[in-house]
Amino acid sequence: MSRWHKTLADRFGSFPKHQQLLMVANELNRASHQLDDAREYSNCLERALELLDLLSGENHWRPALRELRRARQLIAQCYIGPQPVEVQALMRTLIQLDPAAWRMLQAAL
């Protein structure tokens, strides 16, 4: 896997909790729109995995660490799968970990 966010690790902790989660969700949303382009789909999932790893390292996410690790496992299964699969349901489930992120997503729909 490539390292996509080379400079983000240093400042990731300065982002609000909801923004961190929305960054992961954004990559999953991109992946769901790239089902016909396997390479770009994989790139989106790689970026989501990298952001999820950064998110998991933040202390304020400790209470949800089990859910974050399970989400990472599901994204990784999609990544190694033989063909792209829809990840919208996973994105919506992940967003529910933060009420502010959920409200922002609902307002956008």
Side-chain angles (χ1 to χ4, degrees), residues 70-89:
R70 178 64 179 140
R72 190 188 193 295
Q73 181 182 17
L74 292 171
I75 294 169
Q77 286 175 343
C78 293
Y79 180 77
I80 63 171
Q83 60 187 359
V85 295
E86 184 57 61
V87 292
Q88 283 288 330

Side-chain angles (χ1 to χ4, degrees), residues 26-98:
N26 187 42
E27 291 300 339
L28 293 175
N29 188 48
R30 284 184 183 143
S32 71
H33 290 94
Q34 297 297 328
L35 296 175
D36 57 342
D37 183 350
R39 185 68 217 140
E40 188 54 35
Y41 174 83
S42 294
N43 289 345
C44 292
L45 293 183
E46 281 184 18
R47 291 190 296 266
L49 289 167
E50 184 177 5
L51 289 169
L52 200 52
D53 287 343
L54 291 174
L55 192 137
S56 296
E58 295 294 317
N59 285 333
H60 56 261
W61 283 105
R62 280 280 180 239
L65 191 58
R66 178 182 226 162
E67 290 83 2
L68 294 175
R69 300 324 283 164
R70 178 64 179 140
R72 190 188 193 295
Q73 181 182 17
L74 292 171
I75 294 169
Q77 286 175 343
C78 293
Y79 180 77
I80 63 171
Q83 60 187 359
V85 295
E86 184 57 61
V87 292
Q88 283 288 330
L90 176 57
M91 181 194 75
R92 284 190 302 273
T93 302
L94 191 60
I95 284 292
Q96 292 180 30
L97 292 175
D98 184 74

